[in-house]
Amino acid sequence: MKNLWQKGKWWLLALPLLATALFFYFRQKKSQLPLYQVERKTLVESVYASATLLPQTEYKVFANADGTLLQKRASEGAPVRADEVLFLIDKTDPSLRLNTARQAYLLAKENYGKESPLLAEMRLALANAKIQLENDSINWLRFQNLWAQKATSQVEYDRSRTLYQNSQNNYALQKSRLAKLENDLKFNLENSQNQMQLSQKQLEDYAVRSFIEGVVLETYKEEGESVRRGEVLALLADPKRVYLRLEVDELDIERVKIGQPILVKLDVYKDTLFKAKVSKIYYRLNKQNQSFRVDAEFEGEVPNRFSGLTAEANILIQEKKDALVVPKTYLLGKDSLLVWDKESQSTQAKRIEKGIENFEWVEILSGIEEKQTLLKPQ
């Protein structure tokens, strides 16, 4: 040993110690290997489907008038109340029209009111015509009596009769004019009131409101941009009412029925497993992805904060008891497992036949036996 040290080959002296250390290191590592002993348990058969979380009701907010967006009060993700103003559009012209319509209404209201100067003048003319008619009526009666007594001339008699007839016609004319004026003023008042209300409604159209209580998903316009009547300004939804839209493979759709329970996993909610049930099946094949649409309603807790999330869903078809199962994470590829030999401290890949499966477990029909030990692939 002294000679080895003197010859500079001292590292040969450390080999036995290094070998011992490596032996204990690998022995410890093998004792910590991710091993699983095959067992039997109750397993539920399921159909896998990709899914998307969507609101049951989406509401598009439209512009009701042309103009320039003056104020944008809506922002993505913000809650909104029913009848809350979301956008304000330039309303200069409608304001002027409303003021004009309001002035016309006030004038029409004054003209048709109790203190109306137009009606007062016409009523005065009618009263004067009535007085004149009464006077000419008395005078005509007097001349009739005089004529009967041969106490007046033919000319005076005819003149009295003509004055009375003219007074009758004038009174009827003034009465007709008053009735026509009243009708015209009433119609003008109602028309101006309608015009004012229409102008008010048009002015309200420049304040775009929400018709639902919900949340803003998207907005499409910014302040200063021009907008046109009927253009979509924002997209709203009720986050409390959501559903799942599933895509079920055409090979599995025959096994899916209304009311079947569903287990749902969303990446955003990593530690939560949601429950749902099949509510509607669409029997038209989507040729692009060879799948059928299936809708599902949540039961219990609802993931209501986001829209458009992707999810993984397992539609539960049947329950199988005493099934030979292994964790899906232990699969090597699609149809193999690594069987661990404790004595030789080695593994052997074995092909297996799978049965039913769910999120975590897969049934093994053949290829391995109960209580065999498996190594998790790295």
Side-chain angles (χ1 to χ4, degrees), residues 216-234:
V216 180
L217 298 182
E218 293 178 318
T219 60
Y220 307 112
K221 286 289 184 178
E222 299 297 331
E223 293 180 359
E225 293 184 352
S226 61
V227 297
R228 298 189 64 83
R229 182 186 300 270
E231 189 173 8
V232 181
L233 301 181

Side-chain angles (χ1 to χ4, degrees), residues 53-57 77-79 213-217 237-244 264 266 268-269 272 274-275 298-309:
L53 182 68
L54 296 171
Q56 289 186 6
T57 56
E213 180 179 353
V215 67
V216 180
L217 298 182
D238 183 354
K240 298 178 182 179
R241 301 179 59 193
V242 295
Y243 76 102
L244 275 175
V264 183
L266 296 100
V268 175
Y269 303 88
T272 305
F274 295 95
K275 295 181 179 180
F298 283 95
E299 294 185 320
E301 186 177 1
V302 178
N304 56 12
R305 289 191 300 164
F306 305 99
S307 173
L309 294 177

Side-chain angles (χ1 to χ4, degrees), residues 119-360:
L119 290 176
E121 181 181 354
M122 188 58 66
R123 289 181 181 125
L124 179 60
L126 178 63
N128 291 335
K130 184 177 182 181
I131 293 172
Q132 185 65 44
L133 175 62
E134 291 174 349
N135 291 336
D136 289 342
S137 174
I138 295 173
N139 195 41
W140 163 237
L141 182 61
R142 185 171 64 85
F143 271 92
Q144 282 182 315
N145 292 332
L146 290 174
W147 178 259
Q149 299 172 8
K150 306 295 183 178
T152 185
S153 66
Q154 181 72 40
V155 173
E156 291 297 326
Y157 175 79
D158 292 341
R159 179 174 174 274
S160 176
R161 182 176 61 185
T162 301
L163 289 175
Y164 173 64
Q165 290 174 344
N166 289 341
S167 295
Q168 281 183 316
N169 293 336
N170 184 51
Y171 177 74
L173 177 63
Q174 296 302 327
K175 189 175 182 179
S176 175
R177 285 178 175 176
L178 177 60
K180 184 178 184 303
L181 179 61
E182 288 178 338
N183 289 334
D184 290 345
L185 293 178
K186 182 180 179 181
F187 174 79
N188 191 35
L189 175 62
E190 293 174 349
N191 184 59
S192 61
Q193 186 177 20
N194 292 336
Q195 291 297 323
M196 185 182 68
Q197 291 175 348
L198 179 61
S199 298
Q200 179 67 42
K201 179 62 174 63
Q202 290 175 343
L203 185 62
E204 292 175 356
D205 289 342
Y206 287 76
V208 183
R209 300 175 182 273
S210 169
F211 286 97
I212 66 169
E213 180 179 353
V215 67
V216 180
L217 298 182
E218 293 178 318
T219 60
Y220 307 112
K221 286 289 184 178
E222 299 297 331
E223 293 180 359
E225 293 184 352
S226 61
V227 297
R228 298 189 64 83
R229 182 186 300 270
E231 189 173 8
V232 181
L233 301 181
L235 180 65
L236 310 182
D238 183 354
K240 298 178 182 179
R241 301 179 59 193
V242 295
Y243 76 102
L244 275 175
R245 179 182 293 182
L246 288 71
E247 294 181 358
V248 178
D249 190 272
E250 61 178 323
L251 300 177
D252 297 321
I253 192 64
E254 281 294 332
R255 296 191 290 165
V256 179
K257 308 296 180 185
I258 299 293
Q260 287 176 334
I262 306 174
L263 298 179
V264 183
K265 290 181 66 176
L266 296 100
D267 291 338
V268 175
Y269 303 88
K270 296 182 179 180
D271 300 327
T272 305
L273 190 63
F274 295 95
K275 295 181 179 180
K277 68 176 181 179
V278 176
S279 59
K280 189 173 183 179
I281 301 174
Y282 296 79
Y283 294 98
R284 182 179 178 87
L285 177 67
N286 184 336
K287 295 184 179 180
Q288 293 182 349
N289 55 17
Q290 297 298 303
S291 66
F292 287 87
R293 174 181 168 181
V294 174
D295 291 349
E297 297 176 352
F298 283 95
E299 294 185 320
E301 186 177 1
V302 178
N304 56 12
R305 289 191 300 164
F306 305 99
S307 173
L309 294 177
T310 57
E312 292 183 341
N314 267 2
I315 306 172
L316 307 183
I317 306 300
Q318 65 174 339
E319 185 178 79
K320 190 171 183 179
K321 297 182 179 180
D322 199 34
L324 192 66
V325 298
V326 299
K328 293 182 73 172
T329 55
Y330 277 72
L331 286 175
L332 179 63
K334 294 183 178 181
D335 57 359
S336 297
L337 292 168
L338 291 177
V339 179
W340 174 258
D341 187 346
K342 185 177 181 181
E343 295 182 0
S344 64
Q345 299 288 294
S346 62
T347 60
Q348 180 183 3
K350 286 193 174 183
R351 189 177 298 274
I352 51 94
E353 181 183 358
K354 296 190 298 183
I356 65 176
E357 57 184 286
N358 58 24
F359 278 126
E360 300 179 57

